[in-house]
Structures are given as structure tokens and as C-alpha cells.
Amino acid sequence: MKVSNRIVTLCMNPALDIATSIPLIGPTHKMRCAAPLYHPGGGGINVARVAGVLGVPATAVFPAGGPAGEAVCNLLTAEGLAMHRVRIGGVTRENFTVNEENTAKQYRFVLPGPHLTVAEQTECLSHLRREVSSAFGDQASAAGPPVVVASGSLPPGVPLDFYQQVANLCDELGATLLLDTSGGGLQNVESGAFLLKPSARELREYANRPLETESEQIAVALGIVARGVARHVLVSIGAGGAVLVSDGRARKFAAVPIPPGGSGVGAGDAMVAGVAVGMLRGWPLERAVRLGIAAGSATLLTPGNAPCTRADTERLFGQAEEPVDVELAPGRR
């Protein structure tokens, strides 16, 4: 009997990720780049790939069309990833990353993606519903609910409240939702997430103000929790680590030091994957976040959008420090 995967990811805007390098980037003249690397990309797809690397297979649900969509599916098939593709009339986007060798700077060019029709959006939700329902039916209740990870941007044509529809679906089915998105897709979520994972930049965009201090970031995250949007907010701060905010409490996680030279593409997605894997292992959320930080850091050691390795993640997890409580301002406790 087929056993459904306990992690189901939704990627509404997948991409064919192309990475290359060049000594120095400049205008006007042709720039002869190194041989390209091709990887399947997009938030939910990246999460599913990393979860599989960490030993918890995931199923990715996503729309795909055109030559780039075919390439994404072929690459995922070669990796052995379980997937449900929704065929669309539009063409899956391509993203382009260039590493400038002389400066160690990285430039990322991200396209908006295809226009999705209402019928295509509905089919994505239907596939998600079937996968989550199947995961419940195939597993003993003692294993806990499946984890749904909705991650990435919304392509043109998709309403800004789409992720609220996903949250409503998860609430109806009893699944645990981890949400990692930005812009209008984040601003239009009102309830139903177990955990939101914005970056510091995405949290600033959400609040529409600079949030120059950690205390300001925590205050916004506490407000999200207080309004019932999510039970937890995990703010990733790059080299500054991460802050996990829950009801009346904030905990700071230090980053794991990584030597320069790798690619940061997919590091945030790897963090979410690590959290999801830890949760399905039955770990406390703080320990799952430490695994997420290790996975995100390990991704910085790989080229292009290649996933982290399990060995690197486990090694860095051993170096990840326990979180420390952050003193909240009066009235915030």
C-alpha cells in the first residue's frame, strides 16, 4: 500500500533556477559567463527537496507549463521527488543568479511568473486537499497531523488572499500550516497559520516601516500572534540568526558561522524544511528551529540552488546554540 508523505508543500510560482559566475559584472559589453547550473526552484519545491535530503520525504504540489516547466519536472523526477503537477497554459518562469568572483557579490534576477487562471488555481487547491487527506488516511493518529508548507511568491492572476484559502483548507482538514511568503500574500493572511517565517526585510514590508531594531521587529511579530494570524512567528535575520516569537515570549537563535563563497539561494526555504522535519520527528519547536538554522546554513555551502547535504546539516546542528530569551518591553509580556 502506498504511504503518503507527511510533509506536503505548495509552490504556486515554481522556477527553473539558472546559476553561473563571472569575474566582474559591467554594463553594455557582453559578459562571458561560466557554464550554467540548472536546478528546480521556488519556495515549496525547495522545501520538499531539503526535507527529502534530511530523511523525511515530501510531496510538492505546483503548477508548471512550457519548456521551463518541463525542465523543472524532469529535474525533480531525476531527484526522485514525489510531486503533483498542475499543467497550465502559461510558461513557468526562469530565475537567474550570477556570482561575481572578484567581489564575492551575488546578483539575483527573479521574474514574476505566468498568469494563472481561476481553474488552474482551483486545481492546485484540489491537489493539495487530496494529498493532505491521503496523508491523514495512511498514518496512525498518534503520528500527529501532516505538515503543509506553503512557500513562495504568488504569480500574476492569483488573488492576494490565496494563502488565506490555504490556511482555511488546513484548518478544515486539521493539518499544521507553515507559511513563508511576502508582500500582499502575507499581508492578506488573517488566521490559521501555525508558524509564519518572514525574513527581516519581509517583516519590514509587512509593517511598512523600517523596523531598525530587534525590539521593533519583535513588537510587530507579537502583534501578528496577538491577532491570531499565527501561533508563532520565526523572523530570519541572516547572519544575525533568527528570533522565534510566541504568545508573550521571544527567543533569539544565533547563526551558525559559515565561510564565504557559497550561494544563499534557497537558504530560507531550507530553514523552513528543517523546522518541518523537526516537528514531524516530534521535537519541541525550539529544537526544530535549531535544525532549520543548521539546514539554512548548510545550504550556504552549496552552489546555485543545490540543496544542503544531510551530513553538513547534522554537523552544523551539533554547533547550533540553544536559544536565549529576549527581554520584552513592559506591556509586551
Side-chain angles (χ1 to χ4, degrees):
M1 180 180 67
K2 175 183 177 293
V3 177
S4 295
N5 292 330
R6 302 287 292 159
I7 296 177
V8 182
T9 73
L10 179 65
C11 183
M12 293 302 294
N13 205 7
L16 177 62
D17 282 344
I18 307 169
T20 187
S21 62
I22 193 170
L24 194 66
I25 294 176
T28 308
H29 299 291
K30 294 179 180 179
M31 292 177 285
R32 306 291 180 180
C33 299
L37 298 174
Y38 296 91
H39 293 111
I45 285 176
N46 292 337
V47 171
R49 295 169 71 211
V50 172
V53 166
L54 299 182
V56 179
T59 299
V61 176
F62 59 91
E70 291 295 331
V72 167
C73 292
N74 291 338
L75 289 166
L76 291 175
T77 298
E79 291 185 7
L81 184 79
M83 60 182 174
H84 276 285
R85 170 191 180 178
V86 173
R87 293 185 179 274
I88 61 173
V91 178
T92 296
R93 63 181 174 152
E94 298 179 24
N95 293 335
F96 197 59
T97 299
V98 182
N99 291 318
E100 190 176 53
E101 298 167 351
N102 289 2
T103 64
K105 293 180 179 178
Q106 185 178 77
Y107 296 85
R108 303 183 194 179
F109 303 89
V110 179
L111 299 181
H115 185 283
L116 295 190
T117 67
V118 173
E120 291 164 348
Q121 299 168 38
T122 301
E123 190 173 355
C124 289
L125 289 174
S126 296
H127 276 296
L128 179 65
R129 176 181 292 276
R130 285 195 292 270
E131 279 301 315
V132 175
S133 298
S134 179
F136 268 111
D138 287 345
Q139 301 288 339
S141 59
V147 173
V148 173
V149 180
S151 179
S153 61
L154 293 174
V158 177
L160 296 181
D161 69 348
F162 185 84
Y163 281 131
Q164 183 59 55
Q165 298 178 48
V166 174
N168 294 342
L169 185 152
C170 291
D171 183 61
E172 175 191 341
L173 297 178
T176 300
L177 174 62
L178 309 186
L179 179 59
D180 182 7
T181 189
S182 59
L186 175 58
Q187 292 168 342
N188 284 271
V189 175
E190 298 179 350
S191 64
F194 176 80
L195 182 141
L196 289 181
K197 205 290 295 175
S199 66
R201 174 185 58 80
E202 291 164 345
L203 194 67
R204 287 195 296 270
E205 293 172 352
Y206 176 88
N208 195 28
R209 59 180 191 271
L211 303 183
E212 296 175 347
T213 67
E214 183 179 89
S215 62
E216 290 176 317
Q217 295 171 356
I218 290 173
V220 172
L222 284 169
I224 291 173
V225 173
R227 291 193 301 275
V229 178
R231 289 179 58 186
H232 308 276
V233 178
L234 178 61
V235 184
S236 57
I237 318 175
V243 177
L244 177 66
V245 177
S246 306
D247 185 14
R249 188 181 183 191
R251 283 145 288 178
K252 180 70 177 288
F253 295 76
V256 179
I258 294 294
S263 172
V265 178
D269 302 322
M271 173 186 279
V272 177
V275 173
V277 168
M279 289 174 58
L280 283 181
R281 290 176 178 172
W283 292 0
L285 184 56
E286 291 87 349
R287 190 180 185 197
V289 170
R290 286 174 53 215
L291 181 62
I293 289 174
S297 299
T299 301
L300 299 176
L301 300 174
T302 62
N305 193 21
C308 57
T309 68
R310 187 167 183 172
D312 281 339
T313 301
E314 291 176 348
R315 174 175 57 83
L316 295 176
F317 178 64
Q319 300 175 17
E321 299 176 4
E322 294 286 346
V324 296
D325 284 321
V326 178
E327 182 67 24
L328 300 181
R332 292 291 182 182
R333 296 180 180 87

